[in-house]
Amino acid sequence: MDVDVKNTESHILPETAEPTPAARDVEKDGRASPKPAGPLPVAFDPSSYPDGGIEAWTVVLGTFCCLFCSFGWINCIGVFQDYYQEHQLRQYSPSTVAWIPSLETFMMFVGGPVFGKLYDNFGPRGLLLFGTFMHVFGLMMASISTEYYQFVLAQGICSSIGASALFYPAVNVIGSWFFKNRALAFGVTASGSSLGGVIMPIMVERLVVEVGFGWAMRTAAFLILALLVIANVTVKSRLPPSRRPLVMMEFIRPLKEMPFALVCIASYLFFFGLFLPINYVIIQAKTVGMSAGLAGYLIVILNAASLVGRILPGYVADRVGRFNVMIVTAYFSALLVLALWLPARHGPNAAIIAFAALFGFGSGGFVSLAPAIVAQISDIRMIGVRTGTLFAIIATAALFGSPVGGALVIRDQGGFTSLMLFAGVMMMAGSTVFVAARTSLVGWTVLTKV
């Protein structure tokens, strides 16, 4: 195995108290860490992490706003998939329309290596200002769009590049403020995307009826701008940026480490199926007779449950192991697709509503825990590059997932059986590779905190 454990945070951040052999923790390289021979660098001294306090939690407030405006907006793309198919883009097939939300998700994630490197070199300030302008400007342009290519450029590219520049500083900055409570802090940050996914769909749907599509989009853009003012004031890194020249191998080298490579593969497979229920549950529910009014709230229900699913698993993960909780929530989400959504492909409504709520809770854990487990096996000084590498790999799954789902719906002549099977199998495969990643760290031991 090529894992350079001496450079990972898991190795160089021992607990302040000597653990017993019976309470081994992979965050300390699977064994009790020896006392350091000399003082640790400030970036790696556990006692230097605030792990709370007004300043640290104020940063979390800002990152919460960033995730509300970036991932929270992405979480309501199922509403736009349905709306565009019935209105501006009704002459296009579902697979063609799906390229807009897929491109939106892809562009937000694929910027990871670039924005991650910029974060490591210059800190979060410039990225937040750039992201604020691009995201708001893109939504303003989408509000006056009428053609397919205009929606692609405004909402699929411009706005999502801005969302990407907001997402990565928010994810990366948390690691410099929290150590013992890191997964919880990530969960609170990630819950911003869930709350955004609750508020945005309702707001957009109501405003479209009352003031029209254009002003609905502009109102959303103004709300995002207000929240990003808070983010620009509060989000900051505890550590000064470390400027290094751009070396392409920085993005490739982590993939030589078996645990990191397996986490990337697992995340790719899981993410390939993750957004299919989010994008298509509204359309599928309408085909089995659910009213348009009730179906429109499915994304709201999903994201409301995800709010709890992003905080609670993070709290538990800090105590029983982040890999352990990731595996449980990933398998739970995959089983829901195959054991609940698939049987409910012909109804009843209650089963689809239950699926939306439970899937929101289960899948929410993935979003909050993925950055936490990357930080656990990484040198915190390189967290921007390594997180960016992970999400750039995920981006390709986000790009092709929804169009593949649309093609499967066409093949089934409007049915959703193949789409559901594909989503469930891909998520199940990803969950299994997470098990392999855990095994590469501690072997087949079950009760170890990982």
Side-chain angles (χ1 to χ4, degrees):
M1 185 186 305
D2 294 325
V3 181
D4 187 8
V5 293
K6 70 178 182 298
N7 286 328
T8 66
E9 187 183 6
S10 305
H11 179 82
I12 59 183
L13 288 177
E15 300 282 1
T16 53
E18 189 77 21
T20 63
R24 295 188 305 166
D25 185 338
V26 76
E27 289 190 51
K28 299 179 286 298
D29 194 23
R31 57 180 177 274
S33 300
K35 296 293 183 182
L40 289 168
V42 65
F44 307 122
D45 182 3
S47 64
S48 72
Y49 284 74
D51 255 319
I54 293 177
E55 189 175 17
W57 286 112
T58 300
V59 172
V60 172
L61 170 64
T63 60
F64 176 94
C65 293
C66 285
L67 269 290
F68 183 102
C69 299
S70 57
F71 215 136
W73 182 259
I74 300 297
N75 275 347
C76 70
I77 57 179
V79 171
F80 290 101
Q81 171 84 19
D82 179 58
Y83 182 82
Y84 290 153
Q85 278 186 215
E86 295 185 356
H87 295 87
Q88 291 100 321
L89 305 177
R90 57 185 175 275
Q91 69 271 32
Y92 295 92
S93 69
S95 181
T96 301
V97 175
W99 280 105
I100 296 174
S102 290
L103 187 61
E104 199 170 351
T105 309
F106 171 77
M107 293 301 295
M108 195 185 84
F109 288 138
V110 79
V114 175
F115 295 131
K117 180 63 178 177
L118 289 173
Y119 172 85
D120 288 338
N121 279 11
F122 302 104
R125 182 65 56 228
L127 289 174
L128 292 175
L129 290 171
F130 171 77
T132 299
F133 171 79
M134 291 293 288
H135 194 19
V136 173
F137 178 73
L139 295 182
M140 291 293 186
M141 293 300 99
S143 72
I144 58 175
S145 298
T146 56
E147 301 292 335
Y148 179 78
Y149 78 92
Q150 294 172 340
F151 286 108
V152 169
L153 291 174
Q155 190 170 349
I157 297 178
C158 180
S159 168
S160 51
I161 288 176
S164 181
L166 298 167
F167 175 72
Y168 287 103
V171 170
N172 293 329
V173 77
I174 293 297
S176 68
W177 290 94
F178 292 86
F179 177 58
K180 291 181 180 296
N181 296 318
R182 178 172 293 159
L184 174 61
F186 273 122
V188 174
T189 294
S191 68
S193 64
S194 296
L195 187 61
V198 171
I199 294 175
M200 293 292 190
I202 297 175
M203 184 178 77
V204 171
E205 284 192 325
R206 294 290 180 87
L207 288 175
V208 164
V209 175
E210 294 182 11
V211 298
F213 175 80
W215 269 108
M217 294 292 283
R218 287 189 282 275
T219 303
F222 282 125
L223 172 62
I224 287 172
L225 178 60
L227 292 172
L228 291 180
V229 169
I230 298 174
N232 276 273
V233 171
T234 58
V235 174
K236 58 184 177 181
S237 177
R238 185 178 64 89
L239 305 175
S242 177
R243 298 191 181 186
R244 297 184 180 92
L246 176 62
V247 179
M248 290 306 299
M249 283 303 296
E250 284 183 339
F251 304 103
I252 306 300
R253 194 176 296 116
L255 297 174
K256 296 180 179 179
E257 303 171 14
M258 184 62 71
F260 184 82
L262 289 173
V263 166
C264 289
I265 294 170
S267 300
Y268 175 86
L269 294 172
F270 190 83
F271 214 84
F272 216 113
L274 176 66
F275 264 91
L276 290 177
I278 297 173
N279 286 353
Y280 286 96
V281 67
I282 294 177
I283 302 171
Q284 181 263 335
K286 288 182 178 180
T287 63
V288 298
M290 184 178 291
S291 67
L294 180 58
Y297 279 95
L298 289 174
I299 295 297
V300 175
I301 293 169
L302 189 151
N303 285 312
S306 181
L307 180 67
V308 180
R310 298 187 187 193
I311 297 176
L312 183 59
Y315 176 82
V316 175
D318 283 327
R319 286 148 182 81
V320 304
R322 294 153 194 160
F323 275 90
N324 297 339
V325 176
M326 173 67 93
I327 290 168
V328 171
T329 56
Y331 271 122
F332 176 70
S333 301
L335 287 172
L336 284 173
V337 174
L338 296 174
L340 182 55
W341 197 32
L342 180 62
R345 63 190 182 277
H346 302 304
N349 289 351
I352 299 173
I353 295 171
F355 166 77
L358 293 172
F359 185 79
F361 175 83
S363 61
F366 171 81
V367 176
S368 62
L369 290 174
I373 64 175
V374 170
Q376 179 173 318
I377 58 176
S378 299
D379 180 343
I380 197 65
R381 295 168 296 184
M382 301 294 293
I383 190 63
V385 167
R386 293 169 71 93
T387 303
T389 298
L390 169 70
F391 282 107
I393 292 171
I394 288 176
T396 58
L399 177 64
F400 295 111
S402 290
V404 168
L408 291 173
V409 171
I410 293 173
R411 197 195 73 165
D412 282 355
Q413 299 179 339
F416 290 85
T417 300
S418 296
L419 180 147
M420 294 171 175
L421 286 171
F422 178 79
V425 169
M426 293 299 288
M427 294 174 69
M428 189 67 70
S431 305
T432 303
V433 180
F434 275 123
V435 175
R438 182 189 187 278
T439 303
S440 72
L441 290 168
V442 297
W444 291 102
T445 56
V446 176
L447 299 180
T448 302
K449 176 185 175 184
V450 188

